[in-house]
Amino acid sequence: MSDLVPDKAGLEAILDYYVEAGVDLALDEEPHDRFVETALPPPAPIVRREEIAPREPADAPPPRALPQAAVAPEEAAVQARELARHARSLEELETILAAFEGCSLKSSAKNLVFADGTPQSRVMLVGEAPGADEDRIGKPFVGRSGQLLDRMLAAIGLDRAEVYIANVVPWRPPGNRTPTPQEVAICKPFIARQIELAKPDFLICLGGPAAQNLLNLKEGILRTRGRWFSYRTDEGREIRALATLHPAYLLRQPLQKRLAWRDFLALRRALDGETGTGE
Ligand code: URA
């Protein structure tokens, strides 16, 4: 073998190096400009705006997301809004989301991570985006931070099966990077509709990104956690919303668990019907 081509041991050493560095996904050898590649012919919109009636009758089939190579992010966000607002049940929303091709995260993810738990629960918890374990299994919060979340819930007498859990972004960003503002904007109509359809009494935003994106907060999570906010659905329903620390952050900063404990106690009190606004 030539000096330039690594042998088996050399290739294994390169792979080990990548794994150590956190590279766990091979996307492609070359960068692609998908917008240029798909410039001609223009991609067909998933749903044309003028074709959308205000609300479909109950027995009409859900709108279909047509397969697309790539859609400009602004157009994808418009399509996401139209598709999401037509979903009449959580099952339908999941089906629509599974067929949606407007978010590029879908192409690198193994699974759609839609939700776990009981959709009729009074409590809905929303995180930022799935990680590697969630992507593999197709359920939110099943990895290390999910196990901590389970213990936090158990500490206030709740089982994960009796709450409803989802994420702002339902596909894993490659390498667990933070979802881009565009990816969040495209996925936001779906989580907004998911909250609207689940109709929880209490919405718990896990971590700064979920709190900022769902509650339109500008301040960081250490300032907003423990405070009750009002989340207003598109249909005008008010839901009490609480921001708290993300379990992944608590795994890195265990001393901060005392703050999360206060937040979860505030949730417990609210569930028990006690009035008050947290701290
Ligand atoms: N972190 C999140 O925000 N969501 C998950 O589902 C897992 C980890």
Side-chain angles (χ1 to χ4, degrees):
M1 201 165 284
S2 96
D3 284 351
L4 293 176
V5 181
D7 58 11
K8 183 165 176 282
L11 286 170
E12 281 171 359
I14 292 170
L15 278 178
D16 286 346
Y17 168 78
Y18 283 151
V19 171
E20 284 274 301
V23 179
D24 57 2
L25 189 74
L27 287 177
D28 214 336
E29 294 282 333
E30 300 290 334
H32 291 265
D33 186 339
R34 305 280 180 201
F35 296 120
V36 170
E37 286 172 10
T38 56
L40 280 175
I46 293 174
V47 175
R48 279 213 305 278
R49 292 199 98 176
E50 60 271 25
E51 286 175 0
I52 305 275
R55 284 271 170 201
E56 306 268 340
D59 55 355
R64 219 158 43 90
L66 301 177
Q68 302 200 327
V71 183
E74 300 73 24
E75 176 62 8
V78 170
Q79 292 172 357
R81 275 198 292 281
E82 299 293 6
L83 289 166
R85 80 186 179 92
H86 275 73
R88 292 155 303 175
S89 65
L90 288 165
E91 295 73 24
E92 211 172 276
L93 184 67
E94 183 172 2
T95 304
I96 289 171
L97 198 46
F100 180 64
E101 300 292 338
C103 181
S104 57
L105 290 177
K106 184 181 180 185
S107 59
S108 54
K110 288 190 181 67
N111 279 302
L112 168 69
V113 178
F114 183 68
D116 196 21
T118 301
Q120 299 78 22
S121 176
R122 296 181 68 201
V123 180
M124 178 167 181
L125 301 114
V126 182
E128 182 184 24
D133 293 319
E134 289 76 20
D135 183 40
R136 194 166 37 80
I137 294 170
K139 287 192 170 156
F141 284 99
V142 291
R144 278 187 70 221
S145 48
Q147 285 154 20
L148 176 56
L149 179 63
D150 291 354
R151 293 199 296 278
M152 290 159 73
L153 288 167
I156 57 162
L158 294 176
D159 189 284
R160 80 176 268 137
E162 58 181 327
V163 299
Y164 188 52
I165 311 177
N167 280 303
V168 172
V169 168
W171 292 285
R172 181 196 182 206
N176 292 349
R177 66 162 169 75
T178 302
T180 65
Q182 277 176 344
E183 287 158 356
V184 171
I186 291 167
C187 295
K188 203 170 157 185
F190 294 112
I191 183 65
R193 186 71 180 136
Q194 197 170 352
I195 295 168
E196 194 163 59
L197 288 166
K199 298 188 174 65
D201 291 336
F202 302 104
L203 176 67
I204 311 302
C205 301
L206 297 170
Q212 286 168 348
N213 286 311
L214 294 177
L215 305 176
N216 296 320
L217 303 176
K218 296 280 171 284
E219 294 170 284
I221 189 68
L222 288 172
R223 287 191 175 276
T224 56
R225 58 142 288 276
R227 281 161 53 190
W228 286 102
F229 297 88
S230 180
Y231 176 90
R232 195 180 166 84
T233 68
D234 287 344
E235 290 173 348
R237 186 167 183 272
E238 301 279 348
I239 297 171
R240 292 186 71 196
L242 182 69
T244 190
L245 302 172
H246 195 287
Y249 170 76
L250 297 174
L251 287 171
R252 295 192 302 272
Q253 303 284 340
L255 282 181
Q256 302 288 52
K257 283 183 190 167
R258 66 201 160 87
L259 298 178
W261 173 234
R262 285 192 220 163
D263 303 342
F264 273 61
L265 283 180
L267 171 63
R268 182 68 262 172
R269 283 195 298 273
L271 280 167
D272 292 342
E274 292 175 32
T275 50
T277 51
E279 295 190 325

